[in-house]
Amino acid sequence: MANVNIKIEGIPYEVEAGMTILEAARACGYEIPSLCAFNHGECNRGSCRVCLVEATGARGLVASCVYPVNEGMEITISSPKATAARRASVELLLSNHSMKCQQCDKNEKCELLHVARLTGAREDMFEGSQTPVTYDDLSPSIVRDTSKCVLCGRCVARCANAHGNGILGFENRGFRTIVGPAENRSFVDSPCIMCGQCVSVCPTGALMEKSEISKVDDAFRAGKYVVVQTAPAVRAALGEEFGMKIGTPVTGKMVAALRRLGFKKVFDTDYGADLTIMEEATELLGRIKNGGELPMITSCSPGWINYAEYYYGDCLGHLSSCKSPHEMQGAILKHFYAEKIGVDPEDMFVVSIMPCTAKKFEKEREQLVTRGLKDVDAVLTTRELGRLIKRSGIQFTRLPDEDFDRDIMGDYTGAGVIFGVTGGVMEAALRTAAFVLTGKEHEGVKFEEVRGFEGVKEASFDLNGMTLNVAVAHGMKNARVLLDDIRAGKSKYHFIEIMGCPGGCINGGGQPYVRECFLPDEEPDIMDTYKAKRAQALYSEDERQTLRQSHNNPQIKALYKEFLGEPNSHLAHELLHTSYAARVPFGK
Ligand code: FES
């Protein structure tokens, strides 16, 4: 693209034509306060007026996030007129904002506080009436507090971009405008899939995960035998909560921190992931052999399960009946491990650390109660774990590396680790299916064809004379392409992996917030590259494992030999499989 010559604060620069003033200024190393402008237009850009600057050729002040640069333009960020206008914009927002910042879990990463600091805004400059507030904490996953909303529209855009027809929108008009599900309903009374993508992009505390930290505190206080398991994607991002670079794997420090927090046992959910592969690959091959319903679709992602139940209730027979890995692991902990170590299962309290807000909803499903006990008792997001560690005074970056508990369960393979990224479940399943069908390990271990962030990936594999057609989709907007084909009877696939969040669990709604303004040490293109960096943290851990196929996990083999019998056995079905039920959007 052609370049144009501009001046910023009197200094000449050559920048790409077509850039906005904000983009050009950032590219030249200037910080203009901005709030509503977010990642490639995932926002209601131009609405907050926090980014006002003076520019020659324009009449008055312009919103730099929408106004394009022109040849010869001179831009002034620091004039008294521009600074006063930006400060007034922020003060207006603050005047209609709940100021309980100290109680807000987002206060460390609140972009409104950040622009208040940058502009010198004070909250008490304007007084008057406030927009009527909705506080919705009925869902187990997400809390919506409109008293903290700045109407930037990021959540509306992210929900629509990720899932097609988003469920969030602007309600009412003018001063009474708020953002929420249609008719200002609660999340539980809407077809929200609880994925938390809206939470990940909200610049303030208007959308937050529903914290379960106090539930875990109560379990410790009650003297429960509290054990914890961590999903693969958590280790790829937890370090970010402590200022570490994106993509730094922190598996050992995470385990060390969890021990110091008092958990009796610290397990890796990758053990459950290996178990899932044994059950899922067996189920797939059984369906192929016995003429069962195909394609079979993975069932690890609770956001995807919610979506399927709301929008594709007629296709639920295609879903694998396998519980998700942490739910399988919870069932094994309570109904196998507890007895082994002489603990009453009623006294065991299982905490899952997950990158996901939908897992909070999932653990409440009535189908995930086994022999009268919930498989999992509490779910904390990666961010909540970060808060728990900070609150305890543990110096995370100074911790030694420690290993997970692996006494009689907890061993895991590289296949389990890659579950955390789109294509990972498929690749793990292929590693085992290839072995079952050919009798030998797949050469080179990896199935590169299902890696990467393309919206829909597809591949065919010839396994001992059998052609296996597979597809992978992440984000419901992409998944719908595959699902509509299934509904129309046109699908050519045997096996499909679907993940609710774009990029898979590494970009789950419970992962640390990624914001350029809080990441001064990262590369300028971090908003485009952070998913790949987190994914690489998992792929590199897979490479470091001696065992990289689920069927080679010695403790999983022992579990079948000693307890479950064989994959898909009667007992395996009782403990490790589940069912689904169609739900009607806006059913009430
Ligand atoms: Fe430009 Fe909000 S950041 S108007």
Side-chain angles (χ1 to χ4, degrees), residues 34-37 46-51 63 65:
S34 69
L35 190 56
C36 71
S47 64
C48 77
R49 319 305 286 173
V50 166
C51 65
C65 66

Side-chain angles (χ1 to χ4, degrees), residues 226-525:
V226 187
V227 300
V228 68
Q229 55 171 320
T230 66
V234 176
R235 75 206 60 191
L238 179 62
E240 294 164 32
E241 289 290 313
F242 301 91
M244 297 164 94
K245 291 266 253 184
I246 292 180
T248 309
V250 292
T251 316
K253 290 189 193 314
M254 175 182 72
V255 174
L258 289 165
R259 286 227 170 84
R260 281 152 184 76
L261 286 169
F263 291 101
K264 290 272 200 266
K265 296 280 176 184
V266 182
F267 291 113
D268 195 340
T269 308
D270 295 354
Y271 171 91
D274 281 337
L275 191 54
T276 303
I277 288 301
M278 296 304 289
E279 292 295 317
E280 206 165 62
T282 306
E283 184 184 356
L284 172 66
L285 297 174
R287 286 189 189 211
I288 292 172
K289 202 166 129 206
N290 304 322
E293 212 159 348
L294 292 172
M296 188 178 90
I297 313 178
T298 56
S299 52
C300 305
S301 161
W304 147 238
I305 297 298
N306 288 339
Y307 190 84
E309 291 188 329
Y310 274 129
Y311 300 100
Y312 288 88
D314 53 326
C315 298
L316 295 178
H318 290 273
L319 269 63
S320 161
S321 62
C322 288
K323 290 180 185 175
S324 68
H326 84 122
E327 293 287 340
M328 280 198 184
Q329 190 149 326
I332 293 297
L333 279 164
K334 290 192 178 180
H335 305 291
F336 168 73
Y337 185 76
E339 190 185 327
K340 283 277 175 194
I341 59 167
V343 169
D344 182 347
E346 302 245 2
D347 276 340
M348 183 176 272
F349 190 90
V350 176
V351 179
S352 297
I353 313 290
M354 296 281 130
C356 178
T357 51
K359 291 277 179 202
K360 289 173 182 279
F361 177 90
E362 178 193 39
K363 70 157 193 334
E364 302 295 332
R365 289 172 69 94
E366 60 188 26
Q367 298 98 320
L368 295 172
V369 173
T370 309
R371 299 177 187 167
L373 295 176
K374 284 165 80 171
D375 295 335
V376 169
D377 299 289
V379 169
L380 303 182
T381 61
T382 310
R383 293 187 297 259
E384 285 175 281
L385 176 58
R387 292 204 287 277
L388 205 54
I389 295 170
K390 285 176 197 164
R391 185 188 76 170
S392 69
I394 292 166
Q395 308 294 302
F396 186 79
T397 57
R398 309 296 302 158
L399 288 171
D401 286 342
E402 291 182 10
D403 193 15
F404 288 105
D405 282 293
R406 302 170 185 252
D407 44 4
I408 46 176
M409 62 178 279
D411 264 352
Y412 63 94
T413 71
V417 179
I418 59 174
F419 259 56
V421 58
T422 168
V425 180
M426 175 62 71
E427 181 169 344
L430 287 170
R431 289 182 192 179
T432 288
F435 178 77
V436 173
L437 289 170
T438 66
K440 54 182 189 327
E441 303 295 358
H442 177 63
E443 212 180 308
V445 183
K446 297 191 259 186
F447 287 83
E448 299 270 6
E449 299 88 334
V450 293
R451 295 190 178 189
F453 294 105
E454 229 175 289
V456 178
K457 292 163 277 188
E458 54 177 6
S460 286
F461 302 99
D462 185 4
L463 301 173
N464 204 21
M466 191 191 118
T467 302
L468 193 65
N469 297 324
V470 305
V472 173
H474 50 117
M476 294 304 106
K477 194 174 175 177
N478 295 320
R480 279 164 57 172
V481 177
L482 301 172
L483 294 165
D484 287 343
D485 273 357
I486 294 175
R487 186 173 265 165
K490 295 192 303 191
S491 182
K492 61 180 179 185
Y493 304 110
H494 297 97
F495 190 31
I496 294 176
E497 177 203 294
I498 295 180
M499 289 290 158
C501 289
C505 308
I506 44 131
N507 191 38
Q511 292 284 65
Y513 304 117
V514 183
R515 303 279 190 277
E516 283 164 306
C517 61
F518 295 123
L519 297 166
D521 298 331
E522 297 284 354
E523 306 295 319
D525 63 348

Side-chain angles (χ1 to χ4, degrees), residues 17-35:
M19 278 181 152
T20 63
I21 293 175
L22 184 68
E23 286 164 347
R26 279 185 184 162
C28 298
Y30 293 85
E31 182 168 23
I32 299 175
S34 69
L35 190 56

